[in-house]
């Protein structure tokens, strides 16, 4: 999908540092959101405009080997940029532990979205509050193993 040489670290320092520490330790360090103790995954996507490799930590919302990717961005008024990347190119890498694996994502609607939204809130309760802070409907993608 992507070449590591094209990796462009996040401009957000805490995000960049989390990805670096997570990858360097094979997921044994920097594997929670700050001091919440709640686990994260790292999603690698291809920049929809630049083609650069983007690495995004997200909360770990897992069920039967699949993951929900929740574009909450703390309830900010606009979607995170990675949402546009996933809409343009649905093949991503997800690292949840020692190594990344390839996944295919699709954006959820209707009852399927509700089902996974409930799982997301169970895994990370602040998602519910984030939805009340923004007019936009928070996008939820489902990632399934591609290989
Ligand atoms: N964000 C969430 O939305 N949900 C979560 O569950 C979540 C958990 C989380 C846990 C730990 C942690 O460290 C961070 C966490 N975040 C979570 C924050 C998340 O990692 C992202 O930082 C946040 O969602 C913002 O995503 P973003 O893609 O908008 O990132 C910004 C800071 C960014 O990197 N912007 C780049 C830039 O240069 O400004 C561009 C990124 C990009 O992909 N650009 C595309 C390109 O072509 O390269 C273009 C995209 C377009 O709009 O066409």
């Amino acid at each position: 999908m992507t070449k590591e040489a094209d990796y462009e670290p996040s401009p957000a320092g805490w995000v960049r540092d989390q990805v670096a520490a997570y990858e360097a330790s094979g997921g044994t360090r920097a594997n929670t959101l700050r001091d919440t103790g709640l686990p994260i995954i790292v999603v690698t996507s291809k920049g929809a405009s630049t083609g650069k490799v983007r690495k995004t930590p997200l909360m770990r919302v897992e069920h039967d080997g699949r993951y929900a990717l929740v574009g909450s961005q703390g309830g900010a008024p606009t979607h995170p940029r990675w949402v546009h990347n996933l809409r343009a190119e649905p093949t991503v890498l997800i690292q949840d532990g020692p190594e990344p694996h390839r996944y295919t994502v699709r954006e959820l609607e209707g009852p399927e979205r509700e089902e996974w939204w409930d799982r997301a809130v169970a895994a990370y309760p602040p998602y519910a509050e984030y939805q009340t802070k923004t007019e936009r409907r928070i996008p939820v993608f489902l990632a399934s193993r591609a290989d």
Side-chain angles (χ1 to χ4, degrees):
M1 170 189 77
T2 49
K3 293 199 298 292
E4 200 62 21
D6 295 330
Y7 175 41
E8 183 71 27
S10 173
W14 67 283
V15 172
R16 188 170 63 236
D17 293 349
Q18 175 143 38
V19 170
Y22 186 88
E23 289 189 325
S25 67
T28 61
R29 289 193 296 115
N31 52 15
T32 63
L33 173 64
R34 291 172 166 154
D35 55 1
T36 63
L38 295 173
I40 60 110
I41 58 174
V42 174
V43 179
T44 299
S45 65
K46 182 177 168 187
S49 312
T50 62
K52 296 272 187 194
V53 173
R54 304 290 187 179
K55 296 185 182 182
T56 307
L58 297 176
M59 300 317 294
R60 181 182 185 275
V61 181
E62 187 271 349
H63 182 73
D64 284 349
R66 299 188 292 172
Y67 297 86
L69 311 181
V70 179
S72 55
Q73 197 165 202
T78 57
H79 295 323
R81 305 284 294 278
W82 60 263
V83 164
H84 305 290
N85 298 345
L86 268 52
R87 286 176 177 165
E89 169 53 71
T91 302
V92 300
L93 299 176
I94 294 180
Q95 186 166 352
D96 178 22
E99 289 177 358
H101 296 284
R102 193 175 301 265
Y103 285 75
T104 304
V105 304
R106 62 186 171 88
E107 196 164 351
L108 298 181
E109 300 290 345
E112 212 179 7
R113 182 190 176 281
E114 298 312 313
E115 185 186 338
W116 279 92
W117 176 258
D118 289 347
R119 289 190 180 118
V121 172
Y124 185 62
Y127 281 143
E129 181 203 332
Y130 296 164
Q131 182 60 89
T132 68
K133 284 168 61 179
T134 179
E135 296 286 305
R136 70 186 173 92
R137 191 168 141 96
I138 291 177
V140 179
F141 295 84
L142 179 61
S144 306
R145 264 304 272 268
D147 52 19

